[in-house]
Amino acid sequence: MRIAVDAMGGDHAPDEIVKGVLEARKCLDKEDELVLIGVKEKIEPHLPSKWRFPSGLSVVDAPEIIGMDEAPVEALRKKKKSSIALMAKMAASGEFDTIISAGNTGACVAACQLRMRNLEGVNRPGIAVTLPTFGGPVTVCDVGANVACKPINLYQYAVMSSVYARRMLGIENPRVALMGIGAEAGKGNTLVKRTRELLDADENINFIGNIEGRDIFDGTCDVAICEGFVGNVVLKLTEGLVDGLFRAIKQELLDEGLRLAMKFKPVMMRIYQKYDYHEYGGALLLGVNGNSIICHGTSKSRTIKNAIMASKKFVNMEINEAIVEYLSTSTVRPNSE
Amino acid sequence: MRIAVDAMGGDHAPDEIVKGVLEARKCLDKEDELVLIGVKEKIEPHLPSKWRFPSGLSVVDAPEIIGMDEAPVEALRKKKKSSIALMAKMAASGEFDTIISAGNTGACVAACQLRMRNLEGVNRPGIAVTLPTFGGPVTVCDVGANVACKPINLYQYAVMSSVYARRMLGIENPRVALMGIGAEAGKGNTLVKRTRELLDADENINFIGNIEGRDIFDGTCDVAICEGFVGNVVLKLTEGLVDGLFRAIKQELLDEGLRLAMKFKPVMMRIYQKYDYHEYGGALLLGVNGNSIICHGTSKSRTIKNAIMASKKFVNMEINEAIVEYLSTSTVRPNSE
């Protein structure tokens, strides 16, 4: 399998990206190939010397860089030789089986949509992210690919995320919930009400109904479906709140005394690790005709390594094939809405 | 001032409601009047005996009850003698200066909209809730009154919440942020982009731009504006995540040993109290021609007492008058969108 990694993406590029790739290299099979893509002279200082250079690792030069805050579509148009643009193009022409980036999310999504096109039967791709919760992992889709969402998009996110949760996370019959603002069918906006009808109509989806914001973390569901704007707020709010709360606890403990703080450190570390969103490696762009993982901008080597291992599993599990097959027999048609 | 409290609303009605009213009674001025409204025979057992009955407290009988999960509009239509319906009607006819309920939020909003009508210049009311954060209190509006939001509604939420934050919380020049999914002006959905134009056009609002989910809790802004669906998810996700995290920490500590857990308890209690959303008493329905506070369904006596004190302050601070005055001179007109 050929796995490409964007060496220029994220706050810790290229050093942590290269480090993650080298760590993954040790865990992959001999026949797997890892490709670092980015500005060659910026990557090379972080690579081992010629004598210790691992086999199955190569570098593809991409002289341009898309910044984290650049406007995606314009950046892609201007910087055709950037790692993101080049990587998506090469993946689409079959040179890579899967691609990974911790760079500009919007640019990654746009590049993949532009080059790979959608899977057969899929109207719009969505980003799925798996969050560790107090009740087990929950896959949330979409977290920001699509902010003009229609009921058919949400229905397809439910289908794709179910396949993903089953094959990637080993959850046999994933419980799918629709993000709403009250458990009753009558509550929510028009999008939620219409989506609910589509989900109710498909007996093959284990649809458990609407959930509220508070239910995401308590083990009620395995998959939570929402439009990209809401999902993005959910994801970033969760990150900000968890980080803030841990900082507040740390400060309170330090105010109490260093000895007490030291005693609680291992307990806090354990909790932090248990609910660490870096564990799952990154978010999947579900629905494109290819395999693309988008990592958090703050990703360090461990996340990159986890993302590489996850992306290999994603391809091996033939998730895209299963999605296409499911949608081809679904009674809910792409032009339903 | 005549303050009415719905004795039948919430998970702990009527006992905790009555308890909260009795506590507030001690703190109010002599000329203030408190009115409990609900099923008389259910309220009376919780009241003091005739000899110890405080002056300035009375009961209004409302024989019907609207359940927490009833469909709001239908419930109001059927149960005209419920506490919620009667309270809003009496407030609209001038019998109460302010009303408080921990009952069915949708029914409260609908009853107030129906009976009180909107303030002059306001298109749609919004629910504003003040959350304690690591960077001070943040007022989020709307958290669920309006799930079909237009730019003019969001603009008016910014105006109303600014007035609220200034007069109620004493923040001189409240920093207003728009909930988005990226700091740049180009990001977000159509609603967010158009609202940004309206907010940019009004120099009297201290508009600091878009924020992401993670920024709500870090002291970036004093007021966060969003449409009701998003705001509701924000509010309930926050509650669920904080509760879940505290439970997880408690469990981890108990696994470690009871002695350690006991040592940590006061620290956790302090943090919990610092970020306790019950502190602010409840959410305000901004934009109706009246004063209505909606409390959380889990409210206990302390929240009810805090809500009563807050509602008195709200009336005294003439927040509605200030909103009407602001909107009458605003260059952004109600028919802008």
Side-chain angles (χ1 to χ4, degrees):
Chain A
M1 196 177 298
R2 275 175 71 86
I3 304 166
V5 181
D6 174 11
M8 312 319 288
D11 306 335
H12 304 290
D15 49 336
E16 287 287 333
I17 311 292
V18 176
K19 217 171 132 191
V21 165
L22 292 171
E23 283 170 26
R25 181 60 272 176
K26 293 177 199 151
C27 309
L28 289 169
D29 294 325
K30 225 177 168 180
E31 58 272 26
D32 294 325
E33 281 176 61
L34 271 169
V35 181
L36 273 162
I37 185 159
V39 184
K40 214 167 184 171
E41 56 263 38
K42 294 204 178 196
I43 300 171
E44 276 170 345
H46 302 282
L47 289 170
S49 63
K50 211 166 117 183
W51 310 106
R52 298 172 58 202
F53 202 92
S55 65
L57 175 65
S58 59
V59 175
V60 165
D61 189 38
E64 290 174 318
I65 300 172
I66 292 181
M68 295 299 274
D69 292 323
E70 282 191 67
V73 178
E74 208 181 309
L76 282 174
R77 198 172 46 76
K78 278 188 191 162
K79 298 179 177 175
K80 292 201 165 56
K81 287 178 182 168
S82 61
S83 50
I84 291 174
L86 207 57
M87 201 164 72
K89 192 183 168 191
M90 288 172 78
S93 68
E95 292 179 70
F96 304 134
D97 296 298
T98 169
I99 60 177
I100 293 153
S101 177
N104 186 314
T105 301
C108 290
V109 173
C112 289
Q113 284 195 264
L114 186 73
R115 293 296 180 183
M116 297 176 177
R117 306 296 167 111
N118 294 349
L119 281 177
E120 213 186 307
V122 173
N123 293 36
R124 290 286 295 269
I127 303 175
V129 71
T130 301
L131 296 172
T133 81
F134 315 114
V138 171
T139 302
V140 182
C141 183
D142 167 46
V143 298
N146 178 7
V147 293
C149 203
K150 290 178 180 166
I152 185 69
N153 303 141
L154 284 181
Y155 164 77
Q156 292 181 350
Y157 295 159
V159 169
M160 297 194 286
S161 303
S162 286
V163 171
Y164 169 82
R166 192 177 303 119
R167 299 208 170 191
M168 281 291 278
L169 306 175
I171 300 165
E172 203 168 321
N173 194 19
R175 295 159 300 162
V176 177
L178 182 61
M179 271 303 291
I181 59 169
E184 312 102 85
K187 277 194 179 176
N189 52 21
T190 316
L191 175 65
V192 166
K193 287 180 201 165
R194 290 213 191 133
T195 303
R196 201 174 159 129
E197 290 166 15
L198 296 184
L199 288 169
D200 276 332
D202 187 339
E203 281 179 9
N204 294 317
I205 293 176
N206 184 10
F207 177 55
I208 59 161
N210 293 10
I211 55 163
E212 291 189 87
R214 85 179 93 228
D215 307 320
I216 298 184
F217 300 103
D218 69 358
T220 305
C221 64
D222 303 303
V223 169
I225 298 302
C226 52
E227 57 113 356
F229 192 95
V230 171
N232 195 276
V233 171
V234 163
L235 183 66
K236 289 179 177 164
L237 182 72
T238 302
E239 288 174 19
L241 190 53
V242 172
D243 285 351
L245 212 52
F246 273 90
R247 270 205 310 276
I249 292 171
K250 194 181 160 188
Q251 191 51 53
E252 202 74 34
L253 283 168
L254 286 173
D255 289 351
E256 189 82 9
L258 192 63
R259 260 188 69 202
L260 190 69
M262 289 310 287
K263 252 189 196 148
F264 287 108
K265 206 180 165 189
V267 179
M268 296 308 289
M269 286 298 289
R270 218 158 50 229
I271 296 171
Y272 203 82
Q273 273 158 18
K274 232 184 221 175
Y275 304 111
D276 181 10
Y277 50 83
H278 290 107
E279 191 55 36
Y280 291 94
L284 266 154
L285 185 59
L286 289 175
V288 289
N289 189 17
N291 304 293
S292 174
I293 288 194
I294 298 159
C295 294
H296 202 283
T298 62
S299 292
K300 293 206 169 186
S301 60
R302 182 168 68 94
T303 311
I304 300 297
K305 187 203 130 192
N306 289 348
I308 293 169
M309 304 316 286
S311 82
K312 188 180 167 181
K313 189 175 175 187
F314 187 85
V315 178
N316 281 337
M317 286 300 194
E318 299 184 331
I319 290 170
N320 282 347
E321 291 80 349
I323 290 171
V324 171
E325 202 199 313
Y326 188 108
L327 288 177
S328 72
T329 58
S330 167
T331 52
V332 180
R333 305 310 304 164
N335 50 5
S336 291
E337 194 76 31
Chain B
M1 196 177 297
R2 274 176 73 86
I3 304 166
V5 181
D6 173 9
M8 311 321 288
D11 306 335
H12 304 290
D15 47 337
E16 287 287 331
I17 311 291
V18 176
K19 217 171 133 192
V21 165
L22 292 171
E23 283 170 28
R25 181 59 272 175
K26 292 177 200 152
C27 309
L28 290 169
D29 294 325
K30 224 176 167 180
E31 59 270 27
D32 295 324
E33 281 176 62
L34 272 168
V35 180
L36 273 162
I37 184 160
V39 183
K40 213 165 184 172
E41 57 263 40
K42 294 202 178 199
I43 299 171
E44 277 171 344
H46 303 280
L47 288 170
S49 63
K50 210 166 122 184
W51 309 106
R52 296 172 59 204
F53 203 91
S55 65
L57 174 66
S58 58
V59 176
V60 165
D61 188 38
E64 289 173 318
I65 300 173
I66 292 182
M68 294 301 273
D69 293 323
E70 281 191 69
V73 178
E74 209 182 309
L76 282 173
R77 198 173 46 77
K78 279 188 190 160
K79 298 179 175 174
K80 292 199 166 57
K81 287 179 182 167
S82 61
S83 50
I84 292 174
L86 206 57
M87 201 164 71
K89 191 182 167 191
M90 289 174 79
S93 68
E95 291 180 70
F96 304 134
D97 296 297
T98 169
I99 59 176
I100 294 153
S101 177
N104 186 316
T105 302
C108 290
V109 173
C112 290
Q113 284 195 266
L114 186 73
R115 293 296 181 183
M116 297 176 177
R117 304 296 167 113
N118 294 349
L119 281 177
E120 211 186 310
V122 173
N123 292 35
R124 289 286 294 268
I127 303 174
V129 70
T130 301
L131 296 172
T133 81
F134 314 115
V138 171
T139 302
V140 183
C141 181
D142 166 46
V143 298
N146 177 8
V147 294
C149 205
K150 290 179 180 166
I152 186 67
N153 303 141
L154 283 182
Y155 164 77
Q156 292 180 350
Y157 295 160
V159 168
M160 296 193 287
S161 303
S162 285
V163 171
Y164 170 81
R166 192 177 302 121
R167 299 205 169 191
M168 281 290 277
L169 307 175
I171 301 166
E172 203 169 322
N173 193 20
R175 294 159 301 162
V176 177
L178 183 61
M179 271 305 291
I181 59 168
E184 312 100 90
K187 278 194 178 175
N189 52 21
T190 316
L191 174 65
V192 166
K193 287 180 201 167
R194 291 213 191 133
T195 303
R196 204 176 155 126
E197 290 166 16
L198 297 184
L199 289 170
D200 277 331
D202 188 338
E203 283 178 8
N204 294 317
I205 294 178
N206 184 10
F207 177 54
I208 59 161
N210 293 10
I211 55 163
E212 292 188 87
R214 84 179 92 230
D215 306 320
I216 297 183
F217 300 103
D218 69 0
T220 306
C221 64
D222 304 303
V223 168
I225 298 302
C226 52
E227 57 113 354
F229 192 95
V230 172
N232 195 275
V233 172
V234 163
L235 182 66
K236 289 179 178 163
L237 182 71
T238 302
E239 288 174 17
L241 190 52
V242 171
D243 285 350
L245 214 51
F246 274 89
R247 269 203 311 273
I249 292 171
K250 193 180 162 190
Q251 191 52 54
E252 201 75 34
L253 284 167
L254 286 173
D255 289 351
E256 190 82 10
L258 193 62
R259 260 188 68 203
L260 191 68
M262 289 310 288
K263 257 191 192 149
F264 200 53
K265 206 181 164 188
V267 179
M268 294 307 289
M269 286 299 288
R270 219 155 51 227
I271 296 171
Y272 203 85
Q273 273 158 17
K274 233 184 221 174
Y275 304 112
D276 181 10
Y277 51 81
H278 289 107
E279 191 56 36
Y280 291 94
L284 264 155
L285 184 60
L286 289 175
V288 289
N289 189 16
N291 304 293
S292 173
I293 288 194
I294 300 160
C295 295
H296 202 285
T298 62
S299 293
K300 294 206 168 183
S301 61
R302 184 168 68 94
T303 311
I304 300 299
K305 185 202 135 195
N306 289 347
I308 293 169
M309 303 318 285
S311 81
K312 187 180 169 183
K313 189 174 175 186
F314 186 86
V315 178
N316 281 337
M317 286 299 193
E318 298 185 333
I319 290 170
N320 282 347
E321 290 81 349
I323 289 171
V324 171
E325 202 199 314
Y326 188 109
L327 288 176
S328 71
T329 59
S330 166
T331 52
V332 180
R333 304 310 305 162
N335 49 4
S336 291
E337 194 79 29

